[in-house]
Amino acid sequence: MLHDLRNLRIPTARLLLRTFSQNDLTALVSLVRQPEITTNLPDWAMTIEQCEQWLAWQETNLVRLDSDNPAVPLAICLPDGELIGWLGIWPKPSVHVDSPEVMYALSRTYRGRGYVSEAVRAATQWLFGLSPLPQLMAVVKPSNPDSRRVVLRSGFAASGTVRCDDDGWFDYFVLQRPEAMDGCPPA
């Protein structure tokens, strides 16, 4: 089932998750220049031009969500609209697992406050409410204990290790669909 993402807003107690826009360019460039982000996510080390292209592509190609095969990037914002990070749920073919991956990044200024766990819980609950997906997954570099804590606090269970074709071995985590949602029709 397709869902319109253009005006998507997912509020939490302290955050707002929303789709990206061209207005996010300056904040996105600032984020992708932080080594705390690009060390663990080297693909996100982008130039201003690459950020412009990425935002344009998002606005053009990801205006609809296929809840059976999700690919959704979300801006993590403070209630005043300040972009402080991002969260994505999409396929990760290089891991050879059928479940979509949940990934995230947060500005160094806002780390250690539980924002990412709050955002992950809200985004995964929203997606499970729209989709029949049985589970989601996350992969974490063994050298990244902070990210490990995020996925565990977000309800994921450690499920061993998995090899990513281009990046080596990762700790592997699974978030099962909540039982209360089993059998419920998609929203």
Side-chain angles (χ1 to χ4, degrees), residues 75-95:
I76 301 173
C77 301
L78 295 177
D80 66 3
E82 179 185 355
L83 175 68
I84 63 170
W86 66 82
L87 184 152
I89 303 174
W90 44 59
K92 187 169 181 85
S94 63
V95 176

Side-chain angles (χ1 to χ4, degrees), residues 14-28:
R14 301 177 299 160
L15 302 169
L16 174 67
L17 306 179
R18 61 168 174 75
T19 50
F20 282 90
S21 76
Q22 289 293 330
N23 295 333
D24 294 319
L25 180 62
T26 301
L28 182 61

Side-chain angles (χ1 to χ4, degrees), residues 34-45 92 94-95 101-104 111 137-152 158 160-173:
Q34 292 183 16
E36 295 86 350
I37 291 175
T38 57
T39 296
N40 289 313
L41 300 169
D43 292 349
W44 284 88
K92 187 169 181 85
S94 63
V95 176
E101 176 192 25
V102 176
M103 62 80 58
Y104 41 81
R111 292 182 176 195
M137 67 96 168
V139 295
V140 176
K141 290 182 179 179
S143 61
N144 190 347
D146 294 337
S147 191
R148 180 182 184 83
R149 279 191 294 280
V150 166
V151 294
L152 292 172
T161 59
V162 67
R163 180 161 173 66
C164 181
D165 289 342
D166 299 330
D167 298 323
W169 289 93
F170 287 78
D171 294 331
Y172 177 67
F173 299 85

Side-chain angles (χ1 to χ4, degrees), residues 34-114:
Q34 292 183 16
E36 295 86 350
I37 291 175
T38 57
T39 296
N40 289 313
L41 300 169
D43 292 349
W44 284 88
M46 297 188 285
T47 65
I48 293 171
E49 293 77 20
Q50 289 170 318
C51 287
E52 287 173 337
Q53 292 169 359
W54 187 84
L55 289 169
W57 190 88
Q58 300 303 317
E59 287 185 330
T60 303
N61 294 297
L62 293 181
V63 296
R64 301 226 182 272
L65 170 73
D66 178 350
S67 57
D68 295 326
N69 189 23
V72 59
L74 297 169
I76 301 173
C77 301
L78 295 177
D80 66 3
E82 179 185 355
L83 175 68
I84 63 170
W86 66 82
L87 184 152
I89 303 174
W90 44 59
K92 187 169 181 85
S94 63
V95 176
H96 305 285
V97 175
D98 288 336
S99 303
E101 176 192 25
V102 176
M103 62 80 58
Y104 41 81
L106 191 70
S107 170
R108 65 177 158 248
T109 307
Y110 295 98
R111 292 182 176 195
R113 301 180 193 182

